[in-house]
Amino acid sequence: MSDTRPTLFDSFRLGDLTLSNRVVMAPLTRNRAAPGFLPTDLTADYYAQRASAGLLISEATQISQQGQGYQDTPGIYTDAQVAAWRKVTDAVHAKGGRIVVQLWHVGRVSHVSLQANGGAPVAPSAITAKTKTFVNNAFAETSAPRALDLSEIPGIVEDYRRAAANAIKAGFDGVEVHAANGYLIDQFLRDGANKRTDSYGGSIENRSRFLLEVMDAVIAEIGAARTGVRLSPVTPANDLTDSDPQALFNYVMDELEKRRPVYVHVIEGATGGPRDIAPGFSFEELHRRYSGAWMVNNGYDLALASAAVESGKADLVAFGRPFISNPDLVERLKQQAPLTPLDQATLYGGGAKGYTDYPVLEPTA
Ligand code: 8OZ
C-alpha cells in the first residue's frame, strides 16, 4: 500500500521530530500568566491535556517587556520564565507530546501601561493602529507608537535570538516566529504600517529585511530544523493592510526557501474569521515556492482538514478554538464525535474554569 495518500492521523516527520499525527494545536492567547509573566502549574496541565496533538504551538509569548501588548501574557526573557516554561514542556513531553513556543513582539499593538516607564510602544512608523488591546482588566485603545530608530533594530533582533536560546533551555522542541496578525514583524512587512524611508522601508526587499534578519538570527542560534514561522498575508487583523500582498509574500517565500525553516504556517483569510480570499491572491502560489512543511490554519473542520492533507495541499493543519474546548480533539476527530462548544466568557483571563476543566470523551468499552 505504498501509494496510499497520507491522512490527518498519520505521523509526520518535522525536522528531527516525529509527530504522531498532522493535527496541530494553533497558538491561542489565554491571558492567565502569573506575576512576572510566568506560565503556571495550570498552564502545564492545560498543554499536557492537549498533548495528543501532533504538535502544540504555545500561546504567543513576548520576547521582551517592550514586546508585550496585553495583560497577563507570558514571556520568555527572564530566568524565572524559562524555569516556569520548563514545567510546561516537561509535562507535555511526559505525555508524549511535542511543543514549540511562539515568539512574539506586538510592536504598536500595545499600551503605555505595559511599557517601561510608561513609554510609547514601538513600530516601524509612528502610525496608531485602530485596534484595541486589553489592559487593567478592560479593553483600551492602543497607544500612539513611536517609530523605531535604525540603531534600535539590532537590539530587537537580538531579543528574538535570546528568546530562541531560552526556548531551548526551557525544553521546547523549537520555536515559531510570529510574523502574522498585525504585530511587529507584520508591521514591517506590510506597507499600511511601514512608511520608513531607510533600509527597512519602501521596497518589498526592505520591508522584508526585519523578518529575514530575525529568521537568520533564530536559525543561527537553534537551527532551521527547530524554527517555524507564521504568516497571515491577507488578514486585516490589527488594522494592517498591504497594497500588493501577492508580490510581497512571493518574495518572502522565495527568501524563506533559501533559509528553509522547518515549517511555514499560513492563516488563510481573516484571522479567526472568514476564509474568503480577495480575487488575485493565491496561497497555492506561495506554497509552490516553498519546499518545507506547509501548515494551514483558519476555520478548518475534519472534512476540510482531511481534504487538505490527502490532496497534498497541506502537511499539517492547525486547529485553534476547537482545541480550547476539546482537549482530546484528535480522538474526537478520529471518532467523528461531537465537539464541546467553546465558552467565550472564559477565553481570556481567569483560572481553571474554561481552561483545564473541559471534558474528554468517556472511554469506549
Ligand atoms: C487574541 C487576543 C490577543 C492576542 C494573535 C496573539 O492574534 C494574538 C492574539 C489573539 O496572534
Side-chain angles (χ1 to χ4, degrees):
M1 298 278 285
S2 61
D3 61 348
T4 50
R5 294 176 297 178
T7 81
L8 194 56
F9 305 110
D10 287 336
S11 64
F12 183 74
R13 186 86 184 158
L14 183 71
D16 300 328
L17 304 175
T18 301
L19 310 184
S20 56
N21 57 71
R22 291 139 191 262
V23 177
V24 175
M25 180 178 168
L28 292 156
T29 289
R30 304 304 309 275
N31 306 82
R32 281 166 166 86
F37 313 108
L38 304 177
T40 64
D41 292 347
L42 270 185
T43 315
D45 290 347
Y46 164 74
Y47 286 108
Q49 287 173 352
R50 288 156 181 77
S52 58
L55 181 69
L56 305 173
I57 304 171
S58 84
E59 62 212 272
T61 297
Q62 60 265 10
I63 59 165
S64 62
Q65 179 184 356
Q66 185 191 69
Q68 183 174 358
Y70 305 81
Q71 83 178 40
D72 303 332
T73 56
I76 186 143
Y77 55 93
T78 70
D79 290 342
Q81 290 161 358
V82 171
W85 278 118
R86 170 57 84 170
K87 291 196 196 172
V88 176
T89 63
D90 283 348
V92 168
H93 291 148
K95 293 278 224 50
R98 298 293 188 183
I99 182 166
V100 299
V101 59
Q102 194 191 45
L103 301 184
W104 193 29
H105 190 307
V106 296
R108 67 180 185 166
V109 186
S110 187
H111 191 268
V112 289
S113 65
L114 294 170
Q115 296 292 316
N117 308 313
V122 299
S125 302
I127 304 168
T128 305
K130 291 185 196 66
T131 186
K132 288 199 168 30
T133 179
F134 194 80
V135 288
N136 306 317
N137 298 316
F139 287 98
E141 299 291 335
T142 55
S143 304
R146 67 176 178 82
L148 281 164
D149 193 82
L150 191 58
S151 65
E152 294 176 278
I153 293 177
I156 301 180
V157 174
E158 167 60 17
D159 288 342
Y160 278 96
R161 186 205 59 74
R162 185 193 52 198
N166 283 345
I168 301 306
K169 276 189 220 151
F172 282 104
D173 295 295
V175 307
E176 174 176 285
V177 173
H178 191 350
N181 294 347
Y183 297 111
L184 183 64
I185 295 175
D186 208 15
Q187 291 158 30
F188 271 92
L189 285 170
R190 294 200 269 165
D191 58 14
N194 184 345
K195 307 291 182 192
R196 297 180 74 91
T197 54
D198 60 14
S199 58
Y200 290 87
S203 66
I204 283 173
E205 290 78 358
N206 282 356
R207 285 184 275 125
S208 303
R209 190 176 312 283
F210 180 62
L211 165 65
L212 298 173
E213 288 181 353
V214 169
M215 295 305 294
D216 286 341
V218 170
I219 288 171
E221 183 66 33
I222 67 171
R226 294 196 282 197
T227 306
V229 59
R230 191 179 211 212
L231 304 170
S232 56
V234 294
T235 194
N238 288 316
D239 190 29
L240 206 42
T241 57
D242 189 77
S243 57
D244 190 355
Q246 189 78 58
L248 170 60
F249 285 92
N250 282 351
Y251 174 79
V252 165
M253 294 314 306
D254 289 343
E255 289 299 311
L256 289 175
E257 176 65 12
K258 294 178 192 166
R259 294 160 173 87
R260 281 294 297 276
V262 72
Y263 70 77
V264 170
H265 178 182
V266 290
I267 299 168
E268 298 165 326
T271 311
R275 293 181 46 78
D276 309 321
I277 314 265
F281 190 87
S282 162
F283 277 96
E284 288 70 26
E285 187 165 342
L286 301 188
H287 191 182
R288 269 198 300 277
R289 291 167 184 266
Y290 183 69
S291 56
W294 193 253
M295 186 190 299
V296 294
N297 171 244
N298 214 24
Y300 277 82
D301 60 12
L302 174 64
L304 207 54
S306 295
V309 168
E310 289 168 20
S311 67
K313 185 192 149 205
D315 299 302
L316 298 163
V317 181
F319 290 77
R321 284 167 295 195
F323 252 118
I324 293 179
S325 48
N326 297 276
D328 56 348
L329 182 64
V330 175
E331 190 55 35
R332 286 180 193 244
L333 293 175
K334 247 186 220 170
Q335 294 187 23
Q336 302 191 33
L339 299 185
T340 304
L342 176 70
D343 172 26
Q344 293 281 346
T346 50
L347 206 40
Y348 303 120
K353 188 168 159 27
Y355 193 43
T356 53
D357 64 352
Y358 281 108
V360 295
L361 289 174
E362 296 296 326
T364 45

